[in-house]
Amino acid sequence: EELGSKVTTSIVNCVLTLINDIVAREEKQNTNVSHGVKERGQVIFREFLELVRSHSKEHHQLEFYAERIHVTPRYLGTTVKRQSGTSAKEWIDRALLTQIKVYLLHTDKTVRQIADELKFESDVSLCKFFKRRTGVSALIWRRGECNEGGGLTRLWGAGSTT
């Protein structure tokens, strides 16, 4: 069980690190080369993604991230949307959804155990979140009855909404 948890955490961190690397490349291309200074929005966006990678398991609300970056939730939301084209809440939800999928695919934990570990109020709220985001129940997804491929395709493929 402990090994499974370490593997799951490792997989989630790898996925979120890949996202960070993609954003960093984009950020590097968009940096104002003549001045060598990153726009404040890029710095905030990068900090936000780092925090999401580190804390999305236990913090699902934008307010937590805004407080850590020392900006208002509204400013953070606007900045993230401007930098990435995707809302801050969507970034948080995608990270959370990826973690749920990893747990479902790579552990034998019950939905209740996953809900507890990811700080959902209940297994019902996790199931509602998952179904709303993927269109299928967590159980059907875990069994592979959702007509999606295996492995990373199931982690990132159809089922994540933007």
Side-chain angles (χ1 to χ4, degrees):
E1 176 102 9
E2 186 176 323
L3 177 62
S5 181
K6 286 180 181 179
V7 169
T8 300
T9 300
S10 246
I11 292 170
V12 169
N13 281 334
C14 286
V15 169
L16 295 175
T17 299
L18 284 172
I19 292 169
N20 279 344
D21 289 346
I22 292 166
V23 170
R25 267 182 273 159
E26 281 293 314
E27 187 177 279
K28 195 173 194 177
Q29 290 174 356
N30 295 332
T31 299
N32 184 342
V33 179
S34 63
H35 293 97
V37 177
K38 293 181 183 179
E39 179 188 340
R40 176 159 164 73
Q42 290 174 325
V43 172
I44 288 172
F45 180 54
R46 184 80 173 153
E47 283 182 53
F48 170 72
L49 287 182
E50 280 297 318
L51 287 170
V52 168
R53 185 182 66 75
S54 302
H55 298 285
S56 63
K57 187 174 183 177
E58 59 274 335
H59 296 285
H60 311 167
Q61 299 304 317
L62 187 58
E63 292 76 13
F64 169 83
Y65 300 96
E67 185 177 301
R68 287 290 184 99
I69 298 172
H70 308 290
V71 296
T72 66
R74 184 176 180 159
Y75 183 76
L76 179 59
T78 301
T79 302
V80 169
K81 180 76 170 182
R82 189 178 310 126
Q83 293 295 315
S84 68
T86 301
S87 74
K89 183 62 175 150
E90 179 67 22
W91 281 104
I92 296 165
D93 287 354
R94 283 180 182 177
L96 195 54
L97 184 64
T98 299
Q99 290 176 68
I100 294 168
K101 287 179 175 184
V102 167
Y103 279 113
L104 291 171
L105 278 178
H106 299 287
T107 71
D108 293 328
K109 291 183 180 202
T110 65
V111 173
R112 177 69 189 155
Q113 290 170 318
I114 297 169
D116 287 344
E117 194 155 331
L118 296 178
K119 308 298 186 227
F120 278 85
E121 290 180 20
S122 68
D123 53 344
V124 172
S125 60
L126 181 143
C127 287
K128 285 181 180 179
F129 172 84
F130 191 87
K131 177 116 186 199
R132 187 174 65 248
R133 303 286 302 171
T134 65
V136 297
S137 75
L139 184 59
I140 288 173
W141 200 88
R142 175 176 256 172
R143 289 181 184 160
E145 297 171 12
C146 55
N147 296 323
E148 289 187 24
L152 289 178
T153 303
R154 285 185 66 201
L155 287 175
W156 289 334
S160 68
T161 58
T162 50

